[in-house]
Amino acid sequence: MSKYAVALAFLLIISGCGGSPDTAAPTTTVFLAPTQAPTTTVVPTTTVAATTTAAPTTTAAPTTTVVPTTTVAPTTTAAPTTTAAPTTTVVPTTTVAPTTTAPTTTTAAPTTAAPTTTAAPTTTTAAPTYPIVKVSAPDFSASTSYTPFPESLQSAFLTALSNEFEAFDQKMGWSAAVYQNGMLWSDAIGLANESTPMTTSTPMAIMSTSKTFLSALILSQVEGGLYALDDLISVLLADHNGYQSVNKSLIPDASVEQHLRMASGVQELSTTSVEAYLQSLDPNWKPSDALTLVSGPPIPPGTHNYTATSSFLLGLVAEHKGGADLHTLYRTEFFEPLSLKAGLLPHIQTPTNMSSTYADLTNYGGDPGWGNVQDVVFYRDLDYWEAEGRRNWSCCGVVSTPESIARWGYELFSPNGSAVSANVRQQLIDSFQDLTEKAGGPWLYGMHVAMKEQRLSDGTVIQTYGHPGGGSGATSDLFYVPLLDLAIALQANTEDIFQRATCARRGGLYSDEPWLSPSDCVAREIIDAVNDQ
């Protein structure tokens, strides 16, 4: 650990580097990769400052430095080295009343004493054991079992991807997929790292797009009777040792639903501190450790305040009541039943073909310039994605490919999908209510999902459901289009979401919407092509 002692001594002496991409001259003392997430204020409507961080170049030694601007709220991320099912076993059906024998009928005792209330049935489950033991990463190879789109549409999809990609001065690699009721298109362009082409099988971090898995799991557990949307986190985690060990004065007594809506009042995790850096290196890390990083006292619940803290708290509830670690819950509930090639860091081993990521290195404690984030001194001798997994975890820790994420968006939001029940799907769609500002412009935020309006070339305005993600040097976006029953997923190994999109530049088709992200431009071209066929 001597090299980390030297690094930390260096960190404590200097300032003016690192931090999140929403500051032009960061001043934090530890340089952890920022993760993009919607900002926490109630939004303006149509005037949102465009973010402008450039996409990486296709060369191994990029030179331009562009610092992301204001729409990125750092998320915390976590990535331990462990996963797999907890070592203790789940005791699914035994209902134990505290001191008296509770009747095991439809009205189980909530948490204490007399079993007369009509709370959700109590099931005793074994909490996951930490530190976790990592399991193998999935095979991310592309599928060959789906019907292709017509060649004319395939050509249009690739043109949409190429047009936006080639317009950037700094770029590395993009990958995209489109899925519609059994038809699949996917393609990739550029480089995964300085010497490896990007392919449709290259796994990348999907960052905050991961939240769509968390919301689906939470609502499915609620539907299954494990707890209720109006249950307080403090009650659900009353016997969770990790939660009980943290400073509760910084965690408001908010409900599951308030945390899903990002309206709990809890403040963001401080991810640029020495403590956060040490946590990202700790092989004994557990998710509740992140709660020691809460940055300040809460604000009154009810106001939209986008934080990774809410996602971490919900992840703890899902594990505690579900009786397994979060990756195992995702795997058994979604990944395996839907044949999705995905995994949650840090529970899985870092995939051997994981893409490198590229960004303005000053945001990661590096020298001025644009380049490979993993080459910064603080990450050079580490498993970068393991450390990032500990910082991202339930907020932003899923690793996958656009093919699987496009299919996930379809299975989640389409009336033909099978990821969740019709009731849970409708809850998600009905939850969009808080107008928020974030990278890519105004969104209506719901229960860890977001709705965005897209204007097509003929002036038609349509809705899309999904969630964007960015940070740690990566970008992700998911759009489900109800009008066409179509899902689009885009991923990049650069922070392209912070750039100004070509279609929104002066003279562009959407120059009156300067907040648009590059993903928006690609998605609109794809939607136009399908809509016009």
Side-chain angles (χ1 to χ4, degrees):
M1 288 297 293
S2 60
K3 60 187 175 185
Y4 300 127
V6 172
L8 286 174
F10 174 72
L11 291 172
L12 293 170
I13 293 172
I14 66 170
S15 63
C17 299
S20 66
D22 58 352
T23 56
T27 58
T28 53
T29 56
V30 177
F31 313 109
L32 301 180
T35 53
Q36 179 275 330
T39 64
T40 59
T41 56
V42 176
V43 181
T45 54
T46 56
T47 56
V48 179
T51 59
T52 61
T53 66
T57 65
T58 53
T59 64
T63 56
T64 317
T65 304
V66 180
V67 180
T69 57
T70 57
T71 41
V72 183
T75 70
T76 70
T77 111
T81 58
T82 69
T83 43
T87 59
T88 53
T89 53
V90 177
V91 188
T93 55
T94 56
T95 49
V96 181
T99 54
T100 61
T101 304
T104 54
T105 60
T106 54
T107 55
T111 52
T112 61
T116 56
T117 63
T118 54
T122 59
T123 55
T124 305
T125 56
T129 299
Y130 286 91
I132 54 180
V133 177
K134 291 192 288 188
V135 297
S136 298
D139 174 9
F140 291 100
S141 57
S143 300
T144 58
S145 58
Y146 295 97
T147 303
F149 281 87
E151 288 188 8
S152 59
L153 284 180
Q154 293 185 53
S155 177
F157 297 163
L158 183 57
T159 297
L161 184 67
S162 301
N163 284 348
E164 195 66 21
F165 179 79
E166 296 298 340
F168 295 139
D169 294 327
Q170 294 176 318
K171 48 183 173 282
M172 282 302 288
W174 270 25
S175 186
V178 182
Y179 183 80
Q180 183 185 50
N181 197 24
M183 290 191 295
L184 175 70
W185 169 85
S186 63
D187 212 330
I189 189 169
L191 298 172
N193 56 48
E194 288 87 343
S195 60
T196 307
M198 181 72 76
T199 73
T200 57
S201 301
T202 303
M204 287 182 271
I206 68 170
M207 305 313 294
S208 286
T209 307
S210 306
K211 291 178 173 67
T212 58
F213 287 99
L214 183 59
S215 59
L217 178 63
I218 293 290
L219 290 176
S220 294
Q221 288 185 336
V222 168
E223 185 178 55
L226 294 183
Y227 48 93
L229 280 174
D230 58 0
D231 281 346
L232 298 177
I233 296 291
S234 62
V235 174
L236 296 177
L237 298 178
D239 57 347
H240 187 288
N241 292 336
Y243 175 80
Q244 290 305 320
S245 67
V246 302
N247 182 0
K248 286 345 157 295
S249 68
L250 298 180
I251 302 176
D253 203 14
S255 69
V256 171
E257 181 170 3
Q258 286 173 317
H259 281 288
L260 277 172
R261 291 186 176 279
M262 297 292 185
S264 70
V266 72
Q267 297 287 22
E268 185 58 282
L269 302 176
S270 175
T271 59
T272 56
S273 64
V274 171
E275 184 181 357
Y277 181 71
L278 291 176
Q279 281 191 16
S280 74
L281 306 180
D282 185 3
N284 296 314
W285 171 93
K286 56 187 183 299
S288 58
D289 292 344
L291 299 181
T292 65
L293 304 176
V294 176
S295 57
I299 62 175
T303 300
H304 184 84
N305 185 35
Y306 186 100
T307 69
T309 318
S310 280
S311 300
F312 267 68
L313 287 164
L314 291 171
L316 292 178
V317 169
E319 286 193 340
H320 194 55
K321 296 303 181 181
D325 66 76
L326 196 57
H327 169 73
T328 298
L329 293 171
Y330 285 170
R331 177 176 57 79
T332 56
E333 292 290 324
F334 305 127
F335 299 163
E336 289 182 351
L338 300 172
S339 298
L340 301 177
K341 297 173 180 179
L344 179 67
L345 292 168
H347 295 272
I348 64 168
Q349 296 173 352
T350 300
T352 56
N353 60 334
M354 187 87 171
S355 173
S356 298
T357 54
Y358 298 80
D360 175 9
L361 299 184
T362 57
N363 289 320
Y364 296 83
D367 295 330
W370 185 90
N372 189 333
V373 174
Q374 287 90 316
D375 287 341
V376 172
V377 63
F378 303 110
Y379 308 112
R380 191 173 298 154
D381 296 326
L382 305 176
D383 181 334
Y384 175 76
W385 287 112
E386 179 183 357
E388 284 301 280
R390 294 186 182 111
R391 297 181 59 238
N392 290 326
W393 193 54
S394 59
C395 157
C396 319
V398 172
V399 173
S400 190
T401 63
E403 174 188 306
S404 284
I405 298 307
R407 290 200 298 106
W408 163 247
Y410 187 89
E411 296 290 352
L412 180 63
F413 291 115
S414 171
N416 298 314
S418 59
V420 295
S421 69
N423 177 60
V424 167
R425 180 178 299 111
Q426 198 58 50
Q427 280 184 288
L428 288 171
I429 294 171
D430 290 343
S431 70
F432 304 125
Q433 65 178 32
D434 294 308
L435 186 61
T436 64
E437 174 188 349
K438 68 175 315 310
W443 295 71
L444 278 179
Y445 205 78
M447 293 183 183
H448 270 50
V449 291
M451 186 275 283
K452 188 172 188 178
E453 290 187 337
Q454 300 285 0
R455 192 175 90 228
L456 304 185
S457 58
D458 64 359
T460 302
V461 176
I462 64 171
Q463 294 182 343
T464 60
Y465 309 150
H467 205 298
S472 299
T475 300
S476 170
D477 233 326
L478 171 63
F479 304 92
Y480 171 73
V481 187
L483 177 69
L484 302 173
D485 193 29
L486 179 87
I488 303 166
L490 297 130
Q491 291 174 231
N493 58 352
T494 58
E495 293 177 344
D496 290 335
I497 198 170
F498 308 128
Q499 294 200 61
R500 185 169 185 176
T502 58
C503 68
R505 295 174 185 172
R506 180 175 298 179
L509 183 60
Y510 304 107
S511 58
D512 60 335
E513 298 178 84
W515 54 80
L516 293 180
S517 72
S519 296
D520 288 316
C521 292
V522 177
R524 289 185 179 193
E525 282 194 55
I526 289 173
I527 295 168
D528 266 330
V530 176
N531 196 42
D532 291 343
Q533 70 173 345

